[in-house]
Amino acid sequence: MQLAMIGLGRMGANIVRRLMRQGHDCVVYDVNAEAVQALVAEGAVGADSIPDLVSKLQVPRAVWMMVPASLTGQVADEVAAVLEPGDALIDGGNSNYRDDVRRAAVFRESGIDYLDVGTSGGVFGLERGYCLMVGGPDAAVQRLEPIFRTIAPGPGEIERTPGRSGDFAPEEQGFLHCGPSGAGHFVKMVHNGIEYGIMAALAEGLNLLENADAGIREAQHSAEIAPLEEPEFYQFPIDTAKVSELWRRGSVVSSWLLDLTAAALNQNPTLDGLAGRVSDSGEGRWTVKAAVDVGVPVPVLAASLFERFASRDEDRFANQVLSAMRLQFGGHQELPSGDVLEAGSRRSESGKGS
Ligand SMILES: O=C(O)[C@H](O)[C@@H](O)[C@H](O)[C@H](O)COP(=O)(O)O
């Protein structure tokens, strides 16, 4: 089948590669001409503009956009202006599902099918395949099924869920038509909200393990911090790189995120070079907003989102206010800077992570 791809960053380019490996024809465009040329060298047809791209497609056309969410609206309008009724426009980026709902309604009036495809898999997708959460009209989703099936991981070596038999259902192959326009990105949004929560749980637990030797370090604490009452119970210089590797084997918390954590700690046990300022590109915020809108409690997901804000010092003023109040009512001084040991130096002092 033929597919056009706009946006040849890591995700877009690798989706094209995966499709071409399985015999699909790809026509590609990116504002970066070198990215286009790289894929032309691998067998794609290149285009130097959106109209040029569309002119090279067979009818009914299928155009997949893999561009940053902030550019998707503009690119979608440019593409839709040169598409015709019966063509399909697919947004595979991390867009807000509300934008899909709006855009789908506008493009429907011109007879263009708009599909939103939440795409998970990151830089590993070329080999592993991408998990696809699809929203859009039934007929268009069905027409594009060969594309989804190729991009998705397939059944792979994952053990079949007890009770399932016969032909593999789409969800067992790694793609699912979740519902009408917007449903794909809604499911991806919640997926990412969960991603934040799992990541935060692993990070917090590993940090507690990292501090299980607090009894050994107790003497270094400032008088302004409550003393550790029972230092004898916190004498464990635990190697978190080894524990995360251990948990990958047979443990209840084994997961791909843990695999990646173990790999990161194995490469760099003290995580040197990472300041711990964690970005968020919107999905976690939209998840919490949707939960508030429909009145569903998501305390873990919300806490993990707020943790990211705090990681970027966005709690600084709140903490200054806390210190100010403490100073006001009790004359309590702040902890002098320098009294808080960096995790990395704790590790080297206690001989961990070597
Ligand atoms: O499923 C995936 O492959 C990931 O969820 C991915 O889509 C994610 O959006 C970005 O890697 C970073 O997202 P944040 O910036 O929000 O952490």
Side-chain angles (χ1 to χ4, degrees):
M1 203 171 161
Q2 187 195 51
L3 184 80
M5 178 66 73
I6 299 176
L8 304 175
R10 282 191 300 262
M11 297 280 283
N14 281 342
I15 288 175
V16 167
R17 291 190 177 102
R18 199 169 161 87
L19 286 168
M20 291 196 303
R21 279 181 186 179
Q22 295 299 314
H24 295 282
D25 297 324
C26 292
V27 185
V28 299
Y29 171 68
D30 192 287
V31 284
N32 174 2
E34 281 176 22
V36 174
Q37 283 318 311
L39 282 171
V40 167
E42 295 176 41
V45 173
D48 57 18
S49 68
I50 287 174
D52 183 38
L53 175 102
V54 169
S55 75
K56 289 175 169 158
L57 300 178
Q58 295 145 16
V59 176
R61 304 170 184 87
V63 180
W64 186 302
M65 300 178 293
M66 208 68 194
V67 298
S70 57
L71 299 178
T72 304
Q74 182 194 329
V75 174
D77 288 344
E78 280 180 47
V79 182
V82 282
L83 289 181
E84 291 175 348
D87 292 343
L89 181 55
I90 304 138
D91 175 13
N94 269 342
S95 298
N96 190 324
Y97 76 96
R98 290 164 176 258
D99 293 332
D100 301 314
V101 172
R102 289 189 207 105
R103 276 181 211 132
V106 171
F107 296 142
R108 199 178 298 130
E109 286 178 13
S110 318
I112 296 166
D113 290 319
Y114 190 79
L115 284 74
D116 50 291
V117 180
T119 306
S120 181
V123 292
F124 294 81
L126 175 60
E127 302 306 332
R128 285 171 48 124
Y130 300 87
C131 177
L132 301 179
M133 296 148 254
V134 184
D138 293 350
V141 173
Q142 267 169 28
R143 177 164 76 81
L144 288 162
E145 198 175 300
I147 295 289
F148 298 141
R149 192 178 306 112
T150 303
I151 298 172
E157 285 161 18
I158 295 175
E159 217 171 289
R160 210 153 188 203
T161 300
R164 283 189 177 268
S165 58
D167 292 342
F168 286 104
E171 61 272 24
E172 293 180 280
Q173 301 177 54
F175 65 98
L176 178 67
H177 184 196
C178 300
S181 296
H185 276 145
F186 191 91
V187 173
K188 177 63 165 56
M189 172 189 80
V190 176
H191 165 280
N192 280 35
I194 294 170
E195 183 179 293
Y196 284 28
I198 297 175
M199 289 169 74
L202 285 172
E204 288 180 16
L206 289 169
N207 192 29
L208 183 52
L209 289 179
E210 186 67 19
N211 285 279
D213 60 352
I216 304 170
R217 295 182 280 105
E218 181 55 14
Q220 299 163 355
H221 272 303
S222 153
E224 284 293 312
I225 292 186
L228 183 62
E229 287 183 356
E230 299 168 310
E232 66 274 24
F233 292 119
Y234 303 98
Q235 301 282 326
F236 310 123
I238 289 173
D239 187 323
T240 47
K242 289 183 180 173
V243 172
S244 54
E245 185 63 39
L246 168 75
W247 285 347
R248 297 180 61 214
R249 290 173 173 75
S251 111
V252 169
V253 298
S254 59
S255 65
W256 191 46
L257 284 171
L258 179 65
D259 297 347
L260 299 175
T261 306
L265 287 170
N266 185 48
Q267 285 158 16
N268 182 3
T270 53
L271 300 180
D272 286 345
L274 292 173
R277 297 171 62 82
V278 188
S279 299
D280 75 293
S281 43
E283 304 266 1
R285 301 181 192 211
W286 306 333
T287 302
V288 172
K289 181 172 185 329
V292 171
D293 286 347
V294 297
V296 166
V298 290
V300 172
L301 311 193
S304 61
L305 171 67
F306 293 160
E307 217 169 292
R308 290 195 181 197
F309 297 166
S311 80
R312 305 191 303 247
D313 256 4
E314 283 156 25
D315 58 354
R316 186 181 172 83
F317 187 67
N319 292 330
Q320 288 175 304
V321 171
L322 290 179
S323 277
M325 285 190 281
R326 226 170 139 263
L327 185 60
Q328 287 285 330
F329 63 66
H332 303 298
Q333 297 300 316
E334 269 198 328
L335 182 67
S337 60
D339 273 17
V340 180
L341 290 173
E342 294 298 324
S345 60
R346 281 184 191 151
R347 273 179 161 267
S348 49
E349 279 168 26
S350 56
K352 291 188 296 187
S354 51

